[in-house]
Amino acid sequence: MSRILVAATPVSGHHAPLLRIASHLSRSGHEVVFLGGARFAEEVRAAGPEFRALPAEADYDDRDFSARFPERDTIPAGPAQIMWDVMHVFGDPTAAQCRALREVLAGFPATAVIHDNLFFGGLALALGEEKGRRPAVFSVGITPLSVESRDTAPHGLGLLPAGDEAEREQHAAIAARMAEMREPLVAHLRGCFASAGATLPEGPLGRNLIGAADVFVQLTVAGFEYPRSDMPENVRFVGAIPIPAAAGQEQPAWWPELLRAREEGRRIVVTTQGTLANTDLTRLAVPTVRVLADRPDVLVVAATGRPDAAEQFAAALPAVPGNAIVAGFVPFSELLPLADVLVSNGGYGGTQAALGHGVPLVLGGDTEDKPEVAARVEWTGTGVNLRTAAPSDEALRAAVDTVLDTPSYRERATALAKEYADHDALATIDALVRDSDR
C-alpha cells in the first residue's frame, strides 16, 4: 500500500472527481490525505481520506465566484475569460498550493501526488524538484485535452479539426494570432511558477503543462478525443469516473411519475446547467421546459442543482407545464439511464457521464471549456452543438427534435458507451499509482 496525497482546486467540478479517486484509493487500503477547499471538509472525511485545508490564498467558495473574483464578471465569455481564469483563478494560487503540498509532504511522505490538471501547484512541485527526490506526480485531466497539435485546431475556440489543407492553414494562422494574444498569459504564469520555485519551460503552453506531470490521466476514452499523431507519451486515457449513487439519498417524490412516463413510451428529456454556470436558469433550463411544453409524448426533467429552482422557474414561467418536473438535486446515477437526451451547457464531467450511459446530447455553453466539449460531441456525432449559450426557442426545439428523431445520435452514443464500459478509471489510476511506487 502507498501513501498518496490528493489535491483539488476548490471548484465542485474539479473537487468531485478527485474526491472519488481519493475515496477509491482509501478504500483500496492506501493511506490518503486530501488537500482541498475548506467547505468540502466533512464530505472528504466521510469519504475516507484525511482532510487538510488549502491556505486562504488558494481557497474560496465556488458557489459565489463573484465574491472572490469580482473582476471576472466584467470579462466577456469566451477566449478572454478563459485567459483571465487561467491567469488568476488557476495561476495566482500556484505558489500557495505548492507550499501547502510541501507542508503536507513534510509530515506525510507520500509516494504519489494526484491533482486536477488546473491545480498548478502540483505541476510546480514536479518542475521544481528532481524526479527521484519527490513523489510521482499525476495530473488528472478533468477538462478537454488542451495539448497543441498539428492535427487539431487551436484550443479554446470550439473549432473542429481541419478537414483539408486549406482549413489546416487557417488554423495555423489563428494559432499564430492566439499565441501573440496569449503572451501576457504565458508571462503571468511564468511568474506564478517562479514564485513557487519552478521554471515553466519554453514552448507551447498546453503541451508544457501536460508534459510537466509524470503521468497525465485523462478522464475520458480515446474515442471522445481528437486523434493526435504527436500525442505526448505521458498521456493515458482511462475512461470516465462513474457518478456514484448518493449515500442515503431517497428517490424524489416525483420518481414514480418518471417511471410511469417511461413505461408509457414517453421520451425523457433531462436538462441541466451543471454546478457552476447555473445561477441563471433562464439561459437553458427554463427555455428547454418552455419549448417542449406542447409535447405530450415528452417528459422534461429540469435538474437544476439549486435549492431556489422553483422560485426561478416561477419568475420566468406563468406555470410549470404538465409535462415537466423541476427539481433541485437529483440522483443522476439513476436518472441518466432513463434519459433519451440530455440538454446541457456542456460540463465535461456531465457529458462524460451521459455518454457513458449512451445518452445523446444537445449542448449550448460559452464559458470555461464548454465550447470545446460541445465541439467534441459534434465531432463524434453523439449530439447537436448549438454553438451558443443563449439559443433561440426555435433552434433549441429543432435541436432536441433532431436528436430524438434521428437514430444515428443514439447509435453513436451507444457505441461510445461500449468504449467507456471497457475502462475502469479508478482501477487504472490505482494500478498506475502502484507502478510508480515500485
Side-chain angles (χ1 to χ4, degrees):
M1 297 300 106
S2 304
R3 285 183 171 178
I4 303 167
L5 173 56
V6 178
T9 304
V11 175
S12 296
H14 299 235
H15 163 84
L18 270 295
L19 180 56
R20 290 172 199 152
I21 291 170
S23 178
H24 173 82
L25 294 172
S26 179
R27 292 195 307 271
S28 297
H30 300 287
E31 190 176 352
V32 182
V33 169
F34 190 98
L35 176 66
R39 83 173 182 93
F40 300 111
E42 292 307 312
E43 180 186 4
V44 172
R45 294 188 181 107
E50 180 183 343
F51 176 76
R52 305 287 180 85
L54 285 164
E57 311 97 289
D59 198 7
Y60 46 85
D61 190 330
D62 64 320
R63 295 168 296 186
D64 188 4
F65 245 50
S66 297
R68 180 61 178 265
F69 305 106
E71 184 182 345
R72 187 177 189 268
D73 293 338
T74 69
I75 311 297
Q81 191 177 83
I82 292 173
M83 188 164 78
W84 194 93
D85 285 350
V86 175
M87 291 171 70
H88 302 295
V89 177
F90 304 113
D92 288 349
T94 301
Q97 291 172 347
C98 192
R99 183 177 68 251
L101 289 172
R102 290 193 173 107
E103 289 174 355
V104 174
L105 290 169
F108 180 76
T111 57
V113 171
I114 304 174
H115 60 85
D116 69 84
N117 59 304
L118 291 167
F119 190 96
F120 291 156
L123 300 180
L125 178 72
L127 292 170
E129 299 182 26
E130 294 180 13
K131 188 172 181 179
R133 303 180 64 181
R134 59 163 173 78
V137 174
F138 295 79
S139 184
V140 180
I142 53 93
T143 60
L145 194 63
S146 62
V147 62
E148 299 87 349
S149 170
R150 56 178 172 261
D151 302 318
T152 62
H155 186 78
L157 301 178
L159 298 173
L160 300 180
D164 53 35
E165 191 56 37
E167 283 191 352
R168 189 182 293 271
E169 291 177 1
Q170 290 175 359
H171 288 173
I174 294 171
R177 292 196 297 271
M178 289 184 67
E180 184 176 346
M181 292 172 54
R182 287 174 175 169
E183 286 178 0
L185 162 63
V186 175
H188 186 87
L189 286 188
R190 289 196 190 286
C192 293
F193 275 75
S195 66
T199 300
L200 190 61
E202 298 289 335
L205 180 62
R207 189 166 286 269
N208 284 331
L209 292 175
I210 286 171
D214 297 310
V215 182
F216 190 89
V217 179
Q218 186 67 30
L219 294 183
T220 190
V221 293
F224 186 71
E225 188 52 70
Y226 303 136
R228 294 167 171 83
S229 58
D230 50 358
M231 184 74 75
E233 293 183 357
N234 67 329
V235 174
R236 302 287 185 274
F237 292 100
V238 300
I241 298 176
I243 297 176
Q249 182 178 10
E250 296 183 359
Q251 290 181 340
W254 48 263
W255 200 257
E257 180 183 354
L258 172 67
L259 297 179
R260 185 165 56 252
R262 189 69 174 171
E263 291 172 358
E264 293 170 352
R266 296 167 66 189
R267 318 292 284 281
I268 308 300
V269 176
V270 177
T271 181
T272 180
Q273 291 181 204
T275 57
L276 186 58
N278 70 348
T279 54
D280 181 5
L281 298 177
T282 64
R283 299 277 280 176
L284 195 60
V286 169
T288 302
V289 170
R290 183 176 61 238
V291 303
L292 297 174
D294 63 344
R295 291 282 299 266
D297 61 322
V298 164
L299 177 67
V300 184
V301 179
T304 67
R306 297 188 58 83
D308 63 348
E311 290 82 353
Q312 284 210 36
F313 269 79
L317 293 174
V320 174
N323 71 336
I325 295 169
V326 176
F329 299 91
V330 303
F332 257 97
S333 61
E334 298 177 51
L335 177 61
L336 282 176
L338 302 175
D340 290 286
V341 60
L342 175 66
V343 181
S344 163
N345 54 4
Y348 193 68
T351 299
Q352 301 299 303
L355 291 174
H357 287 288
V359 179
L361 303 114
V362 171
L363 297 186
D366 60 4
T367 58
E368 297 91 37
D369 58 350
K370 293 175 176 61
E372 288 292 335
V373 176
R376 283 157 174 78
V377 165
E378 179 181 353
W379 176 75
T380 56
T382 56
V384 171
N385 179 3
L386 291 166
R387 299 179 181 274
T388 176
S392 67
D393 283 4
E394 295 76 16
L396 180 56
R397 169 68 176 253
V400 174
D401 287 346
T402 296
V403 173
L404 287 176
D405 298 337
T406 308
S408 64
Y409 291 107
R410 170 66 75 167
E411 292 166 357
R412 297 294 290 274
T414 299
L416 204 53
K418 293 178 181 177
E419 187 176 352
Y420 283 97
D422 289 337
H423 291 73
D424 185 331
L426 295 174
T428 301
I429 293 170
D430 192 345
L432 289 169
V433 168
R434 292 173 190 269
D435 287 345
S436 71
D437 199 18
R438 292 172 182 170

